[in-house]
Amino acid sequence: MKGEEDNQRTPDQYEIPDEDNLVLDLTGFQLHDLNGVHIPPSLVELDLTSNRLSSLDSRISALSRLKKLSFRQNLFHDSGIDPISSFDAISGLQELVIRDNKLTKIPDVSIFKSLLVFDVSFNEIFSLSGLSKISSTLKELYVSKNEVPKVEEIDHLINLQILELGSNRLKVMENLHNLTNLQELWLGRNRIRAVNLCELKCIKKISLQSNRLTSMIGFQDCIALEELYLSHNGISKMEGLSTLLNLRVLDVSSNKLTAVDDIESLTKLEDLWLNDNEIASLDGLDIALAGSRNNLTTIYLERNPCASTPNYSITLRQFFPNLVQIDSNIFC
């Protein structure tokens, strides 16, 4: 019988999945370096996720066709990744992922003039300083789960479509006014107390879950908004929502709401999360949600006083005939 070690992959056993040697995926090999690994010069994608790398192999600097490069879940410190700023031959790189490493600063990636995706989430970064050097071509920026206290140096990112800054130390929404093409903004698990979206009229998804909001005022100009996530805050009143006519998903669970207001005009609403609030009665809920009566398919009201109402589910299904889910109960 073969030993367990005989069944483990080794780099020399890896087979390139296409005859042109365009993609090399070394995910999960737990490599400490790339010695002994053949790196074809024709590579377009190189994925080194889940290894033990802490320094850059110099051969990567010669991959002139490279478009996607991932160092996700490795052991890179700042000094280990810094040499990439002089890798001129791969300046056409479009996607760079250094997620889940040990960085404390934004690396210098100014050499990549066509960069579209940049991910440095799950590091130990203390500032966005250095982002001013990044190419304005960028469409997706991920800096979640770091120690960033301030939104800065992003004014020039006019093509940005996704901005992820969740799980940081942000207290203020600021310096977003130039991001006129932004479609998704993820700011959950910060310390934000007030909404300031600078009239981002193209934005479709916003998450401000687990912050310190006490008011919903500030979303009224986001007329393209389709999904809004505000759970785990301190909001006591639903307001400023009547203009959001494209809204499909609204999550205001785990707040301090006592009534459902200001969404009567929303005709596209499909999912409504109101659980873990202080809503006492179902009376008038059908009127408060008159616009979405036929579109609403999911509603959560559990752990509100009203959820103890006799015939709770029957009443809700009478109010909203196309419901397929009430709390955790799914109907055929």
Side-chain angles (χ1 to χ4, degrees), residues 2-27:
K2 291 185 178 181
E4 183 178 348
E5 66 276 5
D6 293 321
N7 294 321
Q8 293 178 340
R9 286 195 307 173
T10 58
D12 59 310
Q13 292 174 319
Y14 183 84
E15 294 183 3
I16 302 295
D18 58 83
E19 60 184 13
D20 295 322
N21 291 351
L22 298 180
V23 179
L24 178 57
D25 186 350
L26 294 174
T27 297

Side-chain angles (χ1 to χ4, degrees), residues 14 26 38 67 74 100 136 167 180 203 218 274 297 329:
Y14 183 84
L26 294 174
H38 175 57
K67 298 299 180 184
N74 277 278
D100 200 356
S136 62
S167 298
T180 54
I203 199 159
L274 292 161
T297 58
N329 298 314

Side-chain angles (χ1 to χ4, degrees), residues 269-320:
L269 196 62
E270 299 173 2
D271 286 27
L272 178 58
W273 297 63
L274 292 161
N275 52 285
D276 298 279
N277 278 286
E278 301 168 12
I279 300 169
S281 173
L282 296 179
D283 292 346
L285 187 63
D286 54 336
I287 298 174
L289 287 164
S292 55
R293 179 180 186 273
N294 293 319
N295 273 346
L296 198 67
T297 58
T298 300
I299 189 168
Y300 274 76
L301 278 162
E302 58 190 353
R303 292 181 295 279
N304 279 277
C306 66
S308 299
T309 302
N311 300 317
Y312 164 69
S313 292
I314 294 173
T315 301
L316 288 176
R317 295 182 76 178
Q318 288 175 343
F319 284 170
F320 313 110

Side-chain angles (χ1 to χ4, degrees), residues 34 39 43 46 48 53 55-66 69-71 76 84 87 89-90 93:
L34 299 181
I39 300 180
L43 283 182
L46 176 57
L48 297 166
L53 303 174
S55 61
L56 294 171
D57 190 296
S58 61
R59 290 173 294 170
I60 295 175
S61 68
L63 302 176
S64 59
R65 299 177 62 188
L66 199 63
L69 177 59
S70 177
F71 296 114
F76 282 98
I84 203 169
F87 284 8
I90 65 169
L93 197 69

Side-chain angles (χ1 to χ4, degrees), residues 33-244:
D33 56 56
L34 299 181
N35 294 341
V37 178
H38 175 57
I39 300 180
S42 58
L43 283 182
V44 174
E45 298 183 24
L46 176 57
D47 192 340
L48 297 166
T49 297
S50 296
N51 283 287
R52 309 285 293 175
L53 303 174
S54 59
S55 61
L56 294 171
D57 190 296
S58 61
R59 290 173 294 170
I60 295 175
S61 68
L63 302 176
S64 59
R65 299 177 62 188
L66 199 63
K67 298 299 180 184
K68 295 183 179 181
L69 177 59
S70 177
F71 296 114
R72 181 173 179 169
Q73 293 179 341
N74 277 278
L75 300 174
F76 282 98
H77 290 267
D78 298 324
S79 58
I81 210 72
D82 280 347
I84 203 169
S85 64
S86 62
F87 284 8
D88 296 299
I90 65 169
S91 61
L93 197 69
Q94 295 179 350
E95 181 174 319
L96 177 59
V97 177
I98 321 175
R99 183 186 182 97
D100 200 356
N101 279 273
K102 298 180 179 297
L103 303 182
T104 64
K105 65 177 183 179
I106 299 291
D108 182 357
V109 293
S110 57
I111 195 170
F112 305 122
K113 302 301 183 183
S114 302
L115 198 63
L116 301 177
V117 179
F118 184 47
D119 188 348
V120 287
S121 296
F122 288 82
N123 278 282
E124 302 166 12
I125 295 171
F126 288 91
S127 169
L128 295 184
S129 177
L131 280 182
S132 60
K133 298 179 181 179
I134 205 166
S135 173
S136 62
T137 58
L138 198 69
K139 291 187 176 182
E140 300 179 18
L141 174 60
Y142 303 91
V143 199
S144 63
K145 201 64 172 66
N146 281 285
E147 300 293 332
V148 175
K150 180 180 175 63
V151 181
E152 59 185 338
E153 298 196 19
I154 62 171
D155 292 5
H156 65 299
L157 299 179
I158 57 175
N159 293 301
L160 201 65
Q161 295 178 2
I162 300 176
L163 176 58
E164 163 68 276
L165 287 167
S167 298
N168 277 285
R169 297 169 53 217
L170 303 175
K171 295 182 178 180
V172 179
M173 297 175 67
E174 57 188 337
N175 299 319
L176 300 172
H177 53 280
N178 281 352
L179 308 184
T180 54
N181 289 303
L182 196 66
Q183 295 187 20
E184 299 183 19
L185 178 61
W186 302 90
L187 294 172
R189 294 185 178 275
N190 278 286
R191 305 173 186 179
I192 297 167
R193 294 183 179 275
V195 177
N196 178 16
L197 286 165
C198 307
E199 300 185 11
L200 298 179
K201 295 185 177 180
C202 290
I203 199 159
K204 294 183 178 181
K205 298 180 182 180
I206 298 175
S207 173
L208 279 160
Q209 297 171 311
S210 299
N211 274 278
R212 299 177 182 177
L213 300 177
T214 56
S215 171
M216 300 178 76
I217 295 295
F219 298 105
Q220 56 270 16
D221 292 319
C222 302
I223 55 177
L225 197 61
E226 296 179 1
E227 300 181 19
L228 178 58
Y229 302 95
L230 298 173
S231 66
H232 296 90
N233 279 283
I235 299 167
S236 58
K237 182 180 180 181
M238 295 178 66
E239 55 188 337
L241 301 175
S242 61
T243 58
L244 308 182

